[in-house]
């Protein structure tokens, strides 16, 4: 709605402009003129050199003097100069006389601004200053201008009346404004009083907060002191406990040192004993073998004959516990090895040796004195290890030679009493087929093999 | 943001740009001041209109041409004997703002939309001859005349009216600010 009204107004303006444009050419042609000179920031148009007298006389009182100086002398008046010109006006001088004084002063002549119609009026004003003649001239001028003066007097009277009326209205407005201001001052006083009360209340509150904070600060200081004391005590206790623990550790360290020494002695004694036992066993075994009149050699040959299929050239055979056996195997072309330094009773050594043999790599595994071997490894564990290292179709020869068993028994070792029949049953449970081979001296052995699947 | 919105945003920045004080003092006189923008086709219309102003409205009027490289317009003014009244503003933003602040109106006879948006942003009324770019930029915030109208007298009379009619100037200024806001933030404007 508002937009429509605006558009209507704009359309109306357009119509008026069209009408003005239609009559534009009918207006009198203006005389060519230079572009309007620019006024400086102080309102002085320095480049302007001509004025109409009305331009200079129109402004009232102060503005007249200011404007006259700026137009005719191209500068602002000093306070003294402005005051002198206002005094002149106050003594009844005309504005044209003031303008003439400025224009034809030495400075005014040097600036040389032109004011159309000023010169005759100024001369007439100056003529009025000549004694007697001036009086006559002014009288004549005043007489000639009596109708005009009367009109101006009436206009002045009307203006003064209007001014009085406006002044009265202004005074009333000022009084009303003063009432409002007084009311506002009262309001402000009331507000200031309330603000003062609020300020006092705020100060009281702040003081209470301050006291509370101080009390809390004191309590906090006390708590901190107490905390510091407790910390000090705790540090003392901790130091004592630390010293106690340090002493305990020292004692335990000494105790462990003594224990280590005792264990070393035990280990050394055990080593000596083992060495003695091994030496005794070896000597005993050798003595028994030497005394058997070649029976053991014949026994080994008998077992070797049984093992012959597994002793082809290049076959790998591992023997546990009898170097003589290896020599005989090698003579038949087999690659015969034994676990070097492995005594039948050395359990961990035998286990490690078996664990290091590759899977399915042996043509045969031989233990000529199987009962003595049981001191080192249980039968089922040995059979499992043998199953792992034997090739498919590999042979297991487990003899019951009595010399190592006898030697071990003489050395004080307890050798389990195992019968061939019991061992055959054990091997059968593990999937082996067995055949008993009795040597010439009656010493039995079991030849075992797994049926290939 | 489309091209017009970018121009409006740039013109919005001109609102906070300081004007060249020396130029502003020089151009702010009691006489009529036109800021103007024109293309080659609009140049004769502009000069005809300004000549009509000098002849019938204000013999001391001044024409400030905003387009950079408006020497052709000045040369044409010279051939008409009014070159003393015509001045090129140059392309500095502070000079352009001084010209728009000093001017009673921006007179557009062809040319781009940028000066129209600058004038709307600064609050200078816009008048001139209708063309697509000017109408796109000014919308309903300018007093534009169809090319078929007797443009010279209409433009001279429009500037004279704008110079004399403060309420009209205020209405156009309000529309100009609203127009700039709508263009610079199209998503917020009503459909």
């Amino acid at each position: 709605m508002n937009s429509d009204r605006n558009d209507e107004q704009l359309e109306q303006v357009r119509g008026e402009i069209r009408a003005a444009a239609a009559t534009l050419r009918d207006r009198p042609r203006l005389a060519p003129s230079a572009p309007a000179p620019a006024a400086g920031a102080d309102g002085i148009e320095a480049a302007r050199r001509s004025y109409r007298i009305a331009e200079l006389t129109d402004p009232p009182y102060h503005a007249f003097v200011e404007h006259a100086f700026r137009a005719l002398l191209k500068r602002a008046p000093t306070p003294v100069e402005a005051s002198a010109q206002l005094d002149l006006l106050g003594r009844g001088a005309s504005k044209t006389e003031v303008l003439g004084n400025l224009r034809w002063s030495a400075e005014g002549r040097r600036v040389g601004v032109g004011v159309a119609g000023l010169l005759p009026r100024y001369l007439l004003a100056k003529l009025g200053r000549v004694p007697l003649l001036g009086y006559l001239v002014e009288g004549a001028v005043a007489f000639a201008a009596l109708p005009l003066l009367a009109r101006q007097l009436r206009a002045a009277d009307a203006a003064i009346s209007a001014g009085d009326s406006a002044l009265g209205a202004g005074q009333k407005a000022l009084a009303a404004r003063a009432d409002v201001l007084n009311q506002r001052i009262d309001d402000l006083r009331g507000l200031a009083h309330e603000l003062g009360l609020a300020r006092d209340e705020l100060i009281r509150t702040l003081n209470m907060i301050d006291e509370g904070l101080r009390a809390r600060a004191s309590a906090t200081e006390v708590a901190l002191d107490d905390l510091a004391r407790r910390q000090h005590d705790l540090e003392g206790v901790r130091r004592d406990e630390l010293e106690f623990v340090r002493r305990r550790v020292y004692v335990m360290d000494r105790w462990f040192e003594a224990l280590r020494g005792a264990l070393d002695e035990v280990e050394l004694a055990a080593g000596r004993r083992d060495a003695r036992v091994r030496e005794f066993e070896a000597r005993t075994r050798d003595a028994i073998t030497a005394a058997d009149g070649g029976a053991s050699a014949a026994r080994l040959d008998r077992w070797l004959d049984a093992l012959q299929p597994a002793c082809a050239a290049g076959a790998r055979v591992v023997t546990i516990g009898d170097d003589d056996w290896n020599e005989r195997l090698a003579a038949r072309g087999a690659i015969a090895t034994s676990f070097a330094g492995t005594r039948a009773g050395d359990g961990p050594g035998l286990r490690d040796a078996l664990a290091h043999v590759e899977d399915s790599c042996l043509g045969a595994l031989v233990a000529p004195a199987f009962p003595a071997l049981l001191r080192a490894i249980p039968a089922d564990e040995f059979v499992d290890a043998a199953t792992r290292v034997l090739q498919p179709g590999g042979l297991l020869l487990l003899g019951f030679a009595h010399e190592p068993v006898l030697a071990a028994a003489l050395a004080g070792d307890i050798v389990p009493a195992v019968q061939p029949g019991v061992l055959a049953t054990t091997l059968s449970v593990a999937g082996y087929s067995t055949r008993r081979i009795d040597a010439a001296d009656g010493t039995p052995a079991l030849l075992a093999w797994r049926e290939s699947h | 943001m489309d091209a017009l919105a970018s121009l409006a945003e740039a013109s919005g920045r001109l609102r906070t740009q300081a004007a060249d004080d020396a130029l502003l003092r020089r151009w702010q006189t009691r006489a009529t001041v036109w800021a103007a923008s024109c293309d080659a086709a609009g140049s004769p219309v502009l000069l005809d209109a300004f000549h009509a102003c000098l002849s019938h409205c204000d013999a001391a009027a001044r024409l400030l041409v905003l387009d950079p490289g408006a020497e052709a317009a000045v040369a044409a003014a010279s051939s008409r004997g009014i070159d003393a009244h015509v001045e090129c503003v140059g392309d500095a933003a502070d000079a352009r703002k001084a010209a728009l602040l000093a001017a009673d109106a921006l007179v557009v006879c062809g040319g781009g939309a940028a000066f129209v948006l600058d004038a709307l942003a600064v609050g200078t009324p816009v008048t001139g001859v209708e063309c697509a770019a000017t109408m796109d930029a000014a919308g309903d915030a300018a007093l534009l005349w169809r090319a078929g109208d007797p443009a010279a007298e209409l433009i001279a009379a429009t500037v004279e009216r704008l110079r004399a009619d403060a309420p009209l100037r205020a209405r156009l200024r309000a529309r100009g600010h609203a127009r700039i806001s709508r263009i610079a933030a199209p998503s917020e404007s009503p459909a």
Side-chain angles (χ1 to χ4, degrees):
Chain A
M1 191 71 182
N2 195 22
S3 171
D4 291 346
R5 200 173 67 244
N6 282 337
D7 288 342
E8 281 175 16
Q9 288 174 345
L10 214 56
E11 277 309 308
Q12 186 182 348
V13 168
R14 281 175 179 275
E16 290 168 5
I17 291 172
R18 279 180 195 281
T23 60
L24 198 65
R25 296 281 179 191
D26 300 336
R27 293 187 197 174
R29 196 172 184 82
L30 298 173
S33 163
D42 52 1
I44 296 172
E45 296 174 334
R48 190 171 177 186
R49 284 291 178 269
S50 66
Y51 291 86
R52 287 177 292 108
I53 194 165
E55 279 184 76
L56 302 179
T57 54
D58 279 352
Y61 205 48
H62 274 294
F64 161 71
V65 173
E66 286 282 332
H67 190 46
F69 268 82
R70 282 175 162 76
L72 301 178
L73 305 184
K74 302 301 178 191
R75 66 175 176 83
T78 64
V80 173
E81 288 169 335
S83 175
Q85 299 306 322
L86 290 173
D87 280 350
L88 203 58
L89 287 174
R91 289 200 300 273
S94 66
K95 287 182 177 178
T96 53
E97 187 177 353
V98 171
L99 289 174
N101 286 343
L102 293 176
R103 170 60 186 85
W104 281 283
S105 66
E107 187 181 356
R109 281 198 295 274
R110 193 167 57 251
V111 174
V113 171
V115 183
L118 176 62
L119 183 59
R121 288 179 175 82
Y122 180 57
L123 288 175
L124 199 61
K126 281 299 180 191
L127 198 61
R129 297 286 183 187
V130 177
L132 189 58
L133 179 59
Y135 179 80
L136 291 175
V137 169
E138 279 198 336
V141 170
F143 183 74
L146 266 180
L148 181 62
L149 287 174
R151 198 158 48 243
Q152 285 180 345
L153 198 61
R154 285 194 295 276
D157 186 47
I160 288 169
S161 298
D164 285 347
S165 176
L167 196 61
Q171 280 176 341
K172 283 182 183 173
L174 276 176
R177 183 77 180 153
D179 288 344
V180 171
L181 286 174
N182 285 332
Q183 182 63 43
R184 289 219 176 151
I185 287 169
D186 290 342
D187 292 346
L188 286 173
R189 281 183 181 144
L191 188 61
H193 179 67
E194 288 175 7
L195 283 173
L197 294 176
R199 184 200 59 196
D200 294 343
E201 180 64 26
L202 186 63
I203 288 171
R204 276 195 297 277
T205 306
L206 287 175
N207 285 335
M208 287 169 64
I209 291 172
D210 185 47
E211 286 171 7
L213 286 175
R214 284 175 194 280
R216 283 195 181 189
S218 300
T220 305
E221 281 177 7
V222 170
L224 282 174
D225 290 344
D226 187 45
L227 199 62
R229 273 196 303 277
R230 284 189 185 183
Q231 188 178 2
H232 181 73
D233 296 345
L234 281 174
E235 280 181 1
V237 170
R238 190 178 61 84
R239 269 198 305 274
D240 294 345
E241 288 182 351
L242 202 61
E243 181 63 20
F244 175 78
V245 170
R246 194 179 64 77
R247 286 177 183 169
R248 287 287 175 192
V249 168
Y250 176 73
V251 169
M252 286 177 72
D253 192 39
R254 295 289 301 276
W255 184 78
F256 276 123
E257 187 67 27
L259 184 63
R260 194 177 298 118
L263 288 175
D264 286 346
E265 286 177 6
V266 168
E267 196 172 339
L268 189 60
R272 285 180 191 143
R273 179 186 170 280
D274 281 352
R276 277 199 306 275
V277 168
R278 274 198 301 277
E279 187 184 351
F280 178 77
E281 278 186 21
R283 275 192 281 115
T284 307
R285 191 170 58 241
D286 291 345
I288 294 170
T289 303
D292 68 359
S296 63
R299 183 195 316 147
L300 291 181
D301 285 338
R302 171 76 184 97
W303 290 349
L304 271 174
D305 290 342
L307 199 65
Q308 182 63 38
C311 297
R316 289 185 65 191
V317 179
V318 168
T319 304
I320 300 170
D322 195 332
D323 293 339
D324 187 30
W325 175 262
N326 285 344
E327 290 172 7
R328 291 171 189 276
L329 271 172
R332 297 185 181 218
I335 301 171
T337 55
S338 62
F339 296 139
T342 301
R343 190 171 64 86
D346 192 351
L350 179 58
R351 278 200 181 92
D352 288 347
L354 281 173
H356 282 90
V357 178
E358 298 171 12
D359 291 355
S360 307
C361 70
L362 300 182
L365 180 62
V366 180
F370 180 72
L373 179 145
L374 289 176
R375 293 176 299 164
I377 186 167
D380 58 339
E381 189 177 335
F382 174 77
V383 171
D384 287 344
T387 304
R388 183 180 66 77
V389 300
L390 285 174
Q391 293 172 349
L395 296 175
L396 185 61
L397 181 67
L398 305 176
F400 289 80
H402 60 279
E403 294 88 353
V405 176
L406 188 58
L410 290 172
D413 267 359
I414 298 170
V415 178
V418 181
Q419 297 303 316
V422 177
L423 179 58
T425 304
T426 303
L427 287 170
S428 174
V429 170
Y432 282 86
S433 301
T434 56
R435 180 161 64 88
R436 177 168 174 151
I437 302 165
D438 289 331
D441 63 350
T443 305
L446 288 178
L447 183 66
W449 66 95
R450 283 169 67 88
E451 298 295 337
S452 54
H453 298 286
Chain B
M1 181 181 286
D2 61 11
L4 201 59
S6 302
L7 287 173
E9 195 176 308
S11 298
R13 285 198 292 274
L14 189 67
R15 204 180 296 179
T16 56
Q17 161 82 43
D20 185 321
D21 277 344
L23 288 175
L24 189 58
R25 278 201 302 275
R26 184 170 140 205
W27 290 332
Q28 264 184 332
T29 62
R30 295 180 188 176
T32 308
V33 179
W34 291 25
S37 169
C38 65
D39 54 15
S43 175
V45 179
L46 172 66
L47 291 176
D48 282 350
F50 185 63
H51 196 260
C53 170
L54 287 175
S55 300
H56 302 292
C57 301
D58 187 349
R62 190 188 291 268
L63 173 63
L64 307 175
V65 183
L66 298 176
D67 304 279
E71 288 76 9
V74 176
S78 177
S79 68
R80 294 166 189 250
I82 58 172
D83 54 324
H85 297 263
V86 180
E87 201 169 333
C88 291
V89 172
D91 55 0
D94 56 349
R96 190 163 71 250
K97 180 160 185 184
L100 288 170
L101 285 176
D104 296 297
L106 171 69
V107 180
V108 189
C109 297
F115 295 125
V116 173
L117 294 171
D118 285 350
L120 297 183
V122 170
T124 305
V126 178
T127 185
V129 181
E130 284 183 358
C131 72
T134 309
M135 290 169 70
D136 275 352
D140 61 350
L143 271 171
L144 298 175
W145 301 100
R146 283 191 298 274
D149 290 326
E153 286 77 16
L154 274 174
I155 292 170
T158 306
V159 177
E160 189 179 41
R161 175 63 183 264
L162 286 170
R163 183 171 157 76
D165 191 341
L168 176 60
R169 283 202 305 273
R171 271 207 305 278
L172 290 176
R173 188 178 300 121
R175 286 185 176 206
H177 286 160
R179 177 71 181 161
I180 284 282
S181 303
R182 270 203 307 275
I183 294 173
S187 59
E188 294 172 11
S189 65

